[in-house]
Amino acid sequence: MKTARDQLPMVLRAAYLALHRQSDHRFAEYGVTADQFVLMATLQRGEALTQRELARRMPSDPSTVRAMLVLLEKQGLIQRKTHPTDARARTVALTPQGEKLFQKLWQAGEPIRKQIQNSLPPGTIQDLVRLLQCVATGLKTDLHTDLETVS
């Protein structure tokens, strides 16, 4: 019989995929994917970020972030500029059009947040968030170091 510990990775994956599919469905009418929403939400939190910092905060790999930025820039939702102190780096920020669309997307996502809340016992959301943050932190490792140890 599988223990809860054995089931945890598959349950986390199932929850992630369900959230991702629901989000993609909700955001489709706006021409935005769930991953693009995460990028926009990361930018919406404040100051312009470098592309590298954006990839780190999402978290996502830089090539995926770069591809999303190209699409969002073509739609006029983000702007990229040369970094003021590092000519090799580029900063990214939402445009006013991007800010406006993000607010619509946030509202479109409210039923999903409500559905998550309703699926949990009362008063447990904060605990779940804390535990998931522990999992995310615990799984952050340097894969290159891990692979070198295996070889």
Side-chain angles (χ1 to χ4, degrees):
M1 180 184 287
K2 289 190 177 188
T3 66
R5 178 180 170 265
D6 294 336
Q7 294 173 357
L8 186 58
M10 294 304 283
V11 172
L12 283 172
R13 180 166 171 73
Y16 165 76
L17 287 174
L19 173 61
H20 199 272
R21 288 179 183 131
Q22 286 279 338
S23 299
D24 272 342
H25 177 74
R26 289 272 174 193
F27 301 149
E29 71 178 274
Y30 299 97
V32 173
T33 66
D35 292 332
Q36 291 168 342
F37 171 79
V38 170
L39 186 149
M40 293 175 74
T42 304
L43 289 174
Q44 197 275 335
R45 292 180 191 149
E47 79 284 353
L49 300 172
T50 64
Q51 290 181 197
R52 174 175 281 157
E53 180 65 16
L54 179 60
R56 189 187 68 72
R57 287 189 191 183
M58 283 183 58
S60 188
D61 67 280
S63 61
T64 300
V65 169
R66 200 168 16 263
M68 284 192 283
L69 290 173
V70 167
L71 291 171
L72 293 173
E73 189 172 37
K74 284 180 183 176
Q75 294 174 330
L77 301 175
I78 61 107
Q79 61 184 359
R80 296 186 287 175
K81 296 181 180 176
T82 302
H83 191 278
T85 60
D86 182 353
R88 298 169 297 159
R90 298 187 76 187
T91 60
V92 184
L94 288 175
T95 63
Q97 181 183 345
E99 288 275 355
K100 195 176 199 180
L101 179 59
F102 175 78
Q103 294 308 318
K104 290 178 183 177
L105 294 168
W106 184 259
Q107 288 304 316
E110 178 58 26
I112 299 169
R113 292 187 295 279
K114 190 87 160 158
Q115 191 174 359
I116 293 169
Q117 178 183 358
N118 291 340
S119 70
L120 296 169
T124 60
I125 290 176
Q126 194 63 38
D127 290 336
L128 178 60
V129 169
R130 183 182 52 75
L131 291 169
L132 289 173
Q133 286 170 334
C134 288
V135 170
T137 300
L139 290 175
K140 285 183 184 174
T141 62
D142 184 353
L143 291 177
H144 298 293
T145 304
D146 289 349
L147 292 174
E148 288 170 6
T149 337
V150 172
S151 346

